[in-house]
Amino acid sequence: MVNHQNGVAKPPASAASAYTINLDNFRKRLKGFYTCWSDHKSDLWGFTDAIAIATPPPSEDLRYLKSSALNIWLLGYEFPETIMVFMNKQIHFLCSQKKAKLLETTINSAREAVGVDIAIHVKAKDNDGTSLMEEIIGFIHTQSKSESPIVGYISKEAPEGKLLETWSEKLGNSNLKLTDVTNGFSELFSVKDDTELSCIKEAAYLTQSVMKNFVIPKLERVIDEEKKVSHSSLMDGAEKAVLNPTRFKAELKAEDVDICYPPIFQSGGQFDLRPSAASNDDDLYYNSTSVIICAIGSRYNSYCSNIARTILIDATETQRKAYEVLLKAHDAAIGALKPGNIVGAAYQAALSVIQKEAPGLLPNLTKSAGIGIGLEFRESGLSLNSKNDRVLKSGMVFNVSLGFQNLQAQTNNPKTEKYSLLLADTVIVGKKPPEVLTAGCSKAVKDVAYSFSEEEDEEPLKVRSDLNGTGVLSSKATLRSDNQEMSKEEVRRQHQAELARQKNEEIARRLAGSVSAAGEGRGPAKTSGELIAYKNVNDIPFVKQLAIQVDQKNEAVLLPIYGSMVPFHVSTVKSVTSHQDHGTCTIRVIFYVPGTPFNPHDANTLKFQGSIYLKEITFRSKDSRHISEVVQQIKTLRRHVTSRESERAERATLVTQERLQLAGNRMKPIKLSDLWIRPAFVGRGRKLTGSLEAHVNGFRYATSKPDERVDVMFANIKHAFFQPAEKEMITLLHFHLHNHIMVGNKKTKDIQFYVEVMDVVQTLGGGRRSALDPDEIEEEQRERDRKNKLNMGFQSFVNKVHDIWAQPQFKGLDLEFDMPLRELGFYGVPHKSSAFIVPTSSCLVELIETPFLVVSLGEVEIVNLERIGFGTKNFDMAIVFKDFKRDVLRIDSIPSSSLDGIKEWLDMTDLKYYESRLNLNWRPILKTITEDPEKFIEDGGWEFLNMDASESDSDNTEESDKGYEPSDVEPESASEDEDSASESLVESDEDDEEEESSEDSEEEKGKTWEELEREASNADRDKGDESDSEEEKRRRKVKVLGKSHIPERSASKRMPPSKRPKFK
């Protein structure tokens, strides 16, 4: 269990300097507090002259306190053992030195917002604070006009700890009147601002995701496999799921997430519908007519959300009716949450439904329809009961929870004779209809009512096995929804249909906005700089003899032409070759000529359009050695200049980044040593490992060589990955960047730092060692220890970097190390070789083989799965990006066994996928879309890829084309002996051969179907199986069995009725 500390997270005192108070929120909310106090001073705040709030010390218990909620709401953090006193002209804080330093930043903001001064009283560690308390009470008397000032406090919060007990005693002994102001704070917290609503929406998304993607599938597996699992173990699993939000595509930091209460699982006749209920150690009970209740609440940044669902197993008609009534009542209560209505209208709406549909259930109805939710799981004063006459306002949030308690079932089983039903959702009151934040997890009857009956499941299982072609039936009963349409595949299809609609709407908006801006997509051509070898004729070096020379310093080639040495810059040389023939050597130099198809004019050559260019020149010489040296020198110089210019051009396109701020003496850099880098530095000499250090605003990797250094700024990191070594040989950190950087002379967007977890060991004996060899066992243990040690070192580095990224200045970057999910991985060929490709929460990556693969899922438009069909061992994946100018990414040769897993992952990440039987040529498709986007949208967008429509048409045709099947024909018995089985198989084979010959003969002679049928019957009689030897029967049986692996022909090419295999 995490450290909840009064139900809200607080900053560690030792790291107080790393935290800052959001002053904009502070000003806005402090003004709202004083406005509420002023407007409702008589009815909610009890005519108070001052309000004193004392926050208790941290606690391991999970609890909700209004004092802690006020800290979070106003200051952004909880301040334990802190006393706050609000007066008309002053605010007094009594706290420790470290908290005082953080609170000092609010002094000017308080004066600007409401014109009050902040006084901070610092309590020393060895002081009980008595004198400071007397000083604060003196200020209350001074600022009040009454002899007995009225001080508001929260009466339900008993003082805890020595400081708060002393403060309570001082207030009681002073000449002050105390009054409870709980109702005032309830009104203050009731309406949430946009920041608060955003936090609640994030929490609700996580809550419904855990319920939908973890709890419900977990329960289905447990029941389907008939496992014994206790309620408490289910509770532990659900709690761990909430605390690991990245599993459910929730981009939330784990340290900002917590549970609202331990998840509740109840079954077996023992039900408690209160949020304080606990999951016991009894096993989950899922026999016929049983009911399972599960409830989960999660928090994000201390803001709560809640969901509860009821699962029905083989429900009776009475149970189903009760649930349907509860569902209608629950929806009616949600529908009544409209601004201007009273709070009690929600419960009255639910009562009306029950009175009309099933009045006999009224005594079992819960006493309220829920309660307000926010920083507190149960906000006092906002209970949805019939007596609450407070007015609903836009921005209020409710946990709408309705249920029936202690209903009687008509069974003799003590574990099912009593049951309860419960539904709960988190709902925002808005100007429009109420927004149900947890509606993503369905509560419809068809989605929560399950059947667990072998007799009912037997026939559907047969159909499913026939479709799969396996012919094997499961011997165990299979859990399924009452309406058989809700299989996994069909749920996925429904979701994909909805994604297709959303995708087509999105692309219509995007393409419609980009039609006017569409162009060729080509920028201006790059102009080459003027190539100058020598600025003056006098700079040309003097040579004694007229022979080809290479000037390395000035990067020029000197050619003897008509008695003079003519210089050419080496960049003008296209190629140079030499050839020896009969004692003479020929050298041929070819130059670049502007204006040719592969070398167009640039801005500089256009100035000299009338010039005559030398295209090529040939020399002959008897000195073959000199010619060889010249050719080698020219090629080397040309390669060097080309490489330098290429690097210079790449650097010219780089985005200028901020300078790295090195960590000073106060903040020691976080360091990870002995790492290799990819791409590696290019250079001579032995490759060296280096160290990666995290500084103020970025990373620095450096080796012992002074020129081998790379800086990676935090602001330039798009995705960060940490992949520990599991089945791989390396542990790595990988950064995918927004903009390119230079590593040595290489331009890259991906940079990786890794360490090899296993040493290369060579066995001198060369023989195979026994698995029981002590040395072998010891060596394996050393390897495991080394791997674990390295993984832990990397994990520690990652955790410390996360602490840096949690600082306010980096929150806008939304940085977090993502870990690949190996269980969702698959093999494929993204480049030239097969690799193990793994999804993460936001990407699809392959980080072991180079070149790396990093695909941001947010940039993906659709995914097309190609070469999908019966009998294929592999298929391909085409990833189409939202930027249609990018080439489609292909991942080839994915094993067909990974197809279902990939479909499930794509559906879970809300990516629309299509299937096709052939590979598509995507370049012309994307070109057509970009050239005429309006027609693409009118034609249905991406639906031209959808195979379902054509398959449904062919299915309809197949049904209408079915021929007559005699009713008196009986299928072959499973008990027939091997000979009769082989006879039927052989006959089918012969019929196939006859069908082929019949097709040929029909084309040649034009025979009718009746004549063909007659000939086939005669041929069957003539080929009586009794005349065949056993060896011939066996041979034909093997032949036919071999043919049985060939996929059947498609329905669009069905044979006539007379050509079906005959029954015997």
Side-chain angles (χ1 to χ4, degrees), residues 295-563:
I296 297 173
S298 66
R299 293 185 298 165
Y300 174 65
N301 283 342
S302 301
Y303 285 88
C304 301
S305 64
N306 188 52
I307 190 173
R309 293 291 182 262
T310 299
I311 307 298
L312 306 176
I313 308 295
D314 284 332
T316 64
E317 192 59 34
T318 305
Q319 289 176 322
R320 185 186 292 270
K321 177 66 176 176
Y323 183 85
E324 290 173 349
V325 172
L326 177 64
L327 182 59
K328 289 181 181 178
H330 191 254
D331 289 339
I334 292 174
L337 295 176
K338 298 177 180 178
N341 287 355
I342 62 171
V343 173
Y347 191 70
Q348 290 296 338
L351 277 176
S352 300
V353 170
I354 298 170
Q355 286 172 345
K356 180 181 177 181
E357 300 282 342
L361 297 177
L362 283 174
N364 304 95
L365 184 66
T366 51
K367 302 305 179 186
S368 74
I371 196 168
I373 193 170
L375 284 168
E376 298 175 277
F377 185 73
R378 297 172 55 84
E379 293 187 333
S380 58
L382 291 178
S383 178
L384 297 176
N385 57 41
S386 57
K387 299 178 182 179
N388 196 334
D389 58 357
R390 291 181 65 173
V391 178
L392 291 168
K393 299 177 184 178
S394 180
M396 288 183 171
V397 184
F398 289 91
N399 168 31
V400 182
S401 178
L402 197 68
F404 291 131
Q405 303 180 80
N406 298 325
L407 296 174
Q408 295 289 330
Q410 297 175 351
T411 65
N412 297 323
N413 188 339
K415 290 198 172 185
T416 58
E417 63 182 359
K418 281 189 178 182
Y419 68 95
S420 298
L421 304 174
L422 178 66
L423 289 174
D425 281 301
T426 305
V427 182
I428 296 178
V429 179
K431 295 178 181 178
K432 298 179 181 179
E435 183 179 0
V436 184
L437 302 182
T438 49
C441 183
S442 176
K443 55 187 176 183
V445 180
K446 63 184 179 64
D447 295 320
V448 302
Y450 290 88
S451 175
F452 191 51
S453 171
E454 293 189 10
E455 290 79 7
E456 294 178 2
D457 275 354
E458 185 176 355
E459 190 61 31
L461 281 174
K462 284 184 179 179
V463 174
R464 188 154 54 247
S465 65
D466 289 342
L467 290 175
N468 293 338
T470 59
V472 178
L473 297 182
S474 173
S475 61
K476 190 178 288 188
T478 301
L479 179 70
R480 59 178 177 83
S481 179
D482 271 359
N483 68 328
Q484 298 170 14
E485 298 173 0
M486 298 306 289
S487 66
K488 267 190 177 181
E489 179 63 28
E490 289 176 351
V491 169
R492 201 157 59 208
R493 284 186 181 179
Q494 290 181 11
H495 186 217
Q496 285 293 308
E498 177 63 19
L499 287 178
R501 184 187 63 78
Q502 296 175 4
K503 184 61 65 178
N504 286 334
E505 290 177 359
E506 177 193 333
I507 196 172
R509 291 192 299 268
R510 195 169 74 244
L511 290 179
S514 62
V515 169
S516 59
E520 291 296 321
R522 295 179 182 177
K526 292 168 66 177
T527 59
S528 62
E530 293 187 16
L531 301 175
I532 299 175
Y534 303 101
K535 295 181 179 180
N536 196 301
V537 177
N538 297 327
D539 295 337
I540 299 176
F542 174 76
V543 293
K544 295 181 179 179
Q545 56 180 353
L546 295 176
I548 300 174
Q549 304 290 334
V550 179
D551 187 351
Q552 301 279 354
K553 181 180 179 181
N554 294 291
E555 299 173 354
V557 180
L558 301 171
L559 301 179
I561 302 177
Y562 293 113

Side-chain angles (χ1 to χ4, degrees), residues 982-996 1023 1035-1041 1043 1061:
S982 65
E983 288 172 5
S984 63
L985 286 169
V986 171
E987 183 173 283
S988 298
D989 183 45
E990 291 169 351
D991 288 341
D992 291 340
E993 294 172 0
E994 289 166 10
E995 287 173 6
E996 294 173 3
K1023 292 184 178 180
R1035 188 167 58 251
R1036 282 204 300 270
K1037 180 179 179 181
V1038 172
K1039 178 181 176 183
V1040 174
L1041 288 174
K1043 284 189 175 185

Side-chain angles (χ1 to χ4, degrees), residues 249-302:
K249 201 189 170 187
E251 296 182 356
L252 310 176
K253 292 185 171 67
E255 59 266 26
D256 296 333
V257 171
D258 203 350
I259 57 172
C260 295
Y261 54 86
I264 298 171
F265 291 86
Q266 298 177 348
S267 66
Q270 298 182 17
F271 297 97
D272 184 354
L273 302 188
R274 296 173 299 175
S276 58
S279 301
N280 57 33
D281 293 328
D282 294 346
D283 288 338
L284 186 73
Y285 192 79
Y286 45 82
N287 280 10
S288 181
T289 70
S290 61
V291 171
I292 302 171
I293 290 179
C294 39
I296 297 173
S298 66
R299 293 185 298 165
Y300 174 65
N301 283 342
S302 301

Side-chain angles (χ1 to χ4, degrees), residues 28-37 40 44-45 51 66 69-70 73-74 86 181-193 196 375-376 379-380 382 390 393 396:
K28 179 176 66 175
R29 294 177 182 177
L30 184 65
K31 187 175 181 180
F33 171 60
Y34 272 86
T35 301
C36 182
W37 186 13
H40 300 279
L44 296 177
W45 298 95
I51 298 173
K66 275 210 163 33
L70 177 63
W73 182 79
L74 185 61
F86 298 88
V181 289
T182 300
N183 290 337
F185 284 113
S186 177
E187 175 68 21
L188 182 65
F189 297 151
S190 63
V191 178
K192 279 71 177 174
D193 59 28
E196 294 177 286
L375 284 168
E376 298 175 277
E379 293 187 333
S380 58
L382 291 178
R390 291 181 65 173
K393 299 177 184 178
M396 288 183 171

Side-chain angles (χ1 to χ4, degrees), residues 500-515 861-862 880-882 884 912 914 920 922-946:
R501 184 187 63 78
Q502 296 175 4
K503 184 61 65 178
N504 286 334
E505 290 177 359
E506 177 193 333
I507 196 172
R509 291 192 299 268
R510 195 169 74 244
L511 290 179
S514 62
V515 169
E861 175 72 16
I862 61 162
V880 182
F881 296 98
K882 293 179 179 178
F884 291 160
K912 175 59 186 169
Y914 293 93
L920 301 181
W922 282 100
R923 285 193 177 180
I925 293 175
L926 296 182
K927 184 180 179 183
T928 303
I929 294 173
T930 53
E931 287 177 350
D932 193 356
E934 294 179 356
K935 188 172 187 308
F936 171 71
I937 295 167
E938 289 173 2
D939 292 343
W942 294 110
E943 286 307 293
F944 73 92
L945 296 170
N946 194 352

